[in-house]
Amino acid sequence: MKELATAILLAIALEGMLYTLFPGGLKRVMELVQEIPESQLRIGGLVAAVVAIGGIWAVRTWL
C-alpha cells in the first residue's frame, strides 16, 4: 500500500511539474485531445497502461 501511494503521489508531482514548466503547451494539447475520438483515446490509454505495467515488471525483475 505504501508503494502504491508513493507511485500515485509521484505521478501527481510529475504532472504538476509539467504544468509549471509548459502551461501553454499543455493547454494546446488538451484542446487537441478534444478532437480525438473516444475509441482512440481508450486504445491509447490501454496501450500506455500495458507498456507502463510491463516496464514496472521489467524494472522490478531485473534491477
Side-chain angles (χ1 to χ4, degrees):
M1 191 58 123
K2 181 179 173 182
E3 289 181 354
L4 176 61
T6 300
I8 291 170
L9 292 170
L10 178 60
I12 293 170
L14 291 172
E15 186 174 357
M17 288 173 19
L18 288 174
Y19 281 107
T20 300
L21 296 171
F22 311 106
L26 286 173
K27 285 175 75 173
R28 284 190 299 275
V29 167
M30 284 187 245
E31 290 171 1
L32 292 172
V33 167
Q34 295 294 319
E35 299 173 12
I36 299 173
E38 286 186 16
S39 61
Q40 282 185 304
L41 288 173
R42 282 191 178 105
I43 292 170
L46 178 61
V47 168
V50 168
V51 168
I53 290 169
I56 292 168
W57 172 82
V59 166
R60 294 210 171 254
T61 300
W62 294 318
L63 293 181

